[in-house]
Amino acid sequence: MDPGSDEFLPPPECPVFEPTWAEFRDPLGYIAKIRPIAEKSGICKIRPPTDWQPPFAVEVDNFRFTPRIQRLNELEAQTRVKLNYLDQIAKFWEIQGSSLKIPNVERRILDLYSLSKIVMEEGGYE
């Protein structure tokens, strides 16, 4: 594209290779053969022979899976641990007849779980 021109010139198409069955029997050898051509464009497309069917790796008769709902906040195990910890503290305060009030430190909510871990690493509260 010329610097002063507003006309868009599309990039050249990538090379497309269509190996024969004889060439396709050794895929890595075929790739090594076309590599110098494909490297010039940085990309290429290889179309297998038309009647080629990829092998299916799953045994359909024995394959089973159980779908499950996974909430985004449960993806990280540490988050689950923190939520369980806060849940236990909230239940404790509820049993005491009060509600849990998490303090703010420097305009940020105090991470009670991390505080608890640090206290335990330093020998506990005793």
Side-chain angles (χ1 to χ4, degrees):
M1 190 166 162
D2 295 330
S5 173
D6 289 338
E7 186 178 332
F8 174 74
L9 296 174
E13 294 287 323
C14 75
V16 178
F17 299 95
E18 296 179 347
T20 64
W21 267 108
E23 294 171 319
F24 203 63
R25 287 197 205 325
D26 180 19
L28 295 178
Y30 183 72
I31 290 171
K33 179 179 150 186
I34 66 169
R35 184 176 180 173
I37 301 165
E39 281 183 338
K40 289 179 185 174
S41 63
I43 190 170
C44 75
K45 183 188 290 188
I46 300 174
R47 287 191 188 131
T50 54
D51 54 340
W52 179 74
Q53 290 293 320
F56 195 63
V58 177
E59 293 180 31
V60 179
D61 296 333
N62 299 333
F63 180 70
R64 301 278 186 267
F65 80 95
T66 305
R68 63 187 177 110
I69 296 172
Q70 188 170 26
R71 290 171 181 75
L72 290 177
N73 66 341
E74 293 176 356
L75 290 177
E76 187 182 341
Q78 190 66 25
T79 303
R80 266 197 316 266
V81 171
K82 282 184 178 184
L83 289 174
N84 288 339
Y85 180 80
L86 288 174
D87 215 19
Q88 289 175 354
I89 291 177
K91 285 179 184 173
F92 171 80
W93 282 103
E94 189 177 308
I95 290 170
Q96 303 301 317
S98 184
S99 62
L100 173 64
K101 295 176 185 144
I102 302 175
N104 289 326
V105 177
E106 294 181 1
R107 289 185 264 151
R108 294 176 58 194
I109 295 174
L110 180 63
D111 184 352
L112 294 175
Y113 177 74
S114 296
L115 177 63
S116 170
K117 277 183 65 174
I118 291 169
V119 168
M120 295 308 283
E121 286 171 4
E122 295 295 323
Y125 58 88
E126 292 181 25

